Amino acid sequence: MTANLYFSAAVRVAADVSLTRLLPLDALRLPLAPHDHYSQRVLLALQALGVIEPELSPSHADDWLLARDWMHYSFDSVAWRIRWAPRDCSRQHDVVKALFKDIEPTEDAMQALLALWEDLALAEAIQYAQWALAKSGYNPAWASLAADGLRKALAEHSVSQVMYLTHLAMRSLATTHQQGGTEATRLGNVFACAVTSFGQRATVECWTIRGMTRPAELPMSTLATIFAHEVTRLDDEYLTLPPSLAALSAAITRHRTLH
């Protein structure tokens, strides 16, 4: 199921008209996944399964070997060849869409969907943290230091609520920075600790958190769109509810009842 979702998203956002190759990530109009590392993970997973292979030319190999203009080439600049023949690829894409349209809520399927939701929720929270840090002039890579705190917060709170907790952590970081006395190299840890602290307090003290809306600068990724609006029918609840089997079951049952 996860592989089908990854392939469906990759084809929708990156495939050429012939459905024989995927464009490089840096050529995409919309994001494949919530953040760059997740997008790379999607492609590497498909490559490991034999679905796609990197489209590398001898000229690129020469540039990398001889370090000519090496800054120009990166993972994001690599195109990918779809290893299925065009007819098979098209058929597989149809099968994927049919699978997601009529998914059966078996125990295994629901557990797989929950794992995907938890995975995507963490990616959404990290993406927002990266954006918030960069917007305030801090290193967006510090978001990875807060990953554990974000994951724990998402066990009890929705993505939109965790975005608010991240906003509070950003204010705490800015205050600490302005007061001085903390080395610049330690500010990333200050941010991570603040995220963890606010997450714990929100749970223990039973905070009522309205949550925040997704910033306009962060468009919803293709992977998340397919998962939220086509596979699970969670729709807005994808961001406004904590990941849970109960929420998944309710969303799928609601859609089946209406249709």
Side-chain angles (χ1 to χ4, degrees), residues 8 12 20 34 40 46 53-54 81 107 182 199 249 257:
S8 182
R12 184 171 303 182
T20 58
Q40 293 170 7
L46 293 175
E53 62 184 8
R81 179 71 58 181
E107 182 176 351
T182 301
S249 179
T257 301

Side-chain angles (χ1 to χ4, degrees), residues 18-234:
S18 65
L19 289 177
T20 58
R21 65 193 296 268
L22 301 177
L23 300 176
L25 290 175
D26 58 12
L28 303 186
R29 183 174 57 88
L30 295 173
L32 171 56
H35 59 73
D36 292 342
H37 288 175
Y38 202 133
S39 295
Q40 293 170 7
R41 168 186 161 188
V42 168
L43 295 177
L44 286 173
L46 293 175
Q47 190 273 334
L49 292 170
V51 176
I52 61 175
E53 62 184 8
E55 193 175 65
L56 304 177
S57 67
S59 62
H60 281 180
D62 288 342
D63 282 328
W64 291 329
L65 287 170
L66 301 176
R68 293 202 308 266
D69 193 22
W70 66 271
M71 291 285 288
H72 177 69
Y73 299 108
S74 67
F75 188 99
D76 290 353
S77 66
V78 176
W80 300 80
R81 179 71 58 181
I82 298 175
R83 298 186 63 182
W84 288 317
R87 181 190 57 177
D88 293 335
C89 179
S90 179
R91 180 178 59 80
Q92 178 71 13
H93 191 44
D94 291 340
V95 170
V96 169
K97 290 190 294 185
L99 171 66
F100 292 153
K101 180 180 179 181
D102 299 314
I103 187 169
E104 291 294 334
T106 64
E107 182 176 351
D108 288 345
M110 296 300 287
Q111 288 293 342
L113 288 174
L114 177 60
L116 278 168
W117 190 6
E118 291 171 342
D119 203 25
L120 283 167
L122 178 60
E124 298 281 7
I126 290 176
Q127 180 197 38
Y128 177 79
Q130 290 174 335
W131 173 82
L133 287 162
K135 184 179 180 181
S136 298
Y138 295 109
N139 186 351
W142 292 349
S144 63
L145 299 176
D148 188 57
L150 293 170
R151 182 183 293 105
K152 291 177 180 177
L154 287 165
E156 301 290 338
H157 305 285
S158 69
V159 172
S160 63
Q161 291 173 323
V162 172
M163 287 165 57
Y164 178 72
L165 297 177
T166 302
H167 171 70
L168 295 180
M170 283 298 308
R171 291 171 53 182
S172 178
L173 171 63
T175 300
T176 300
H177 189 194
Q178 292 169 0
Q179 290 175 344
T182 301
E183 296 181 5
T185 55
R186 295 282 303 165
L187 290 176
N189 291 324
V190 170
F191 173 70
C193 289
V195 168
T196 299
S197 176
F198 282 118
Q200 292 174 341
R201 287 181 57 190
T203 299
V204 173
E205 300 174 12
C206 299
W207 288 3
T208 299
I209 306 174
R210 186 177 63 178
M212 300 181 67
T213 59
R214 177 192 297 274
E217 297 91 334
L218 299 180
M220 195 165 183
S221 69
T222 302
L223 181 62
T225 297
I226 294 174
F227 178 83
H229 299 294
E230 299 178 35
V231 179
T232 63
R233 308 292 176 164
L234 282 164

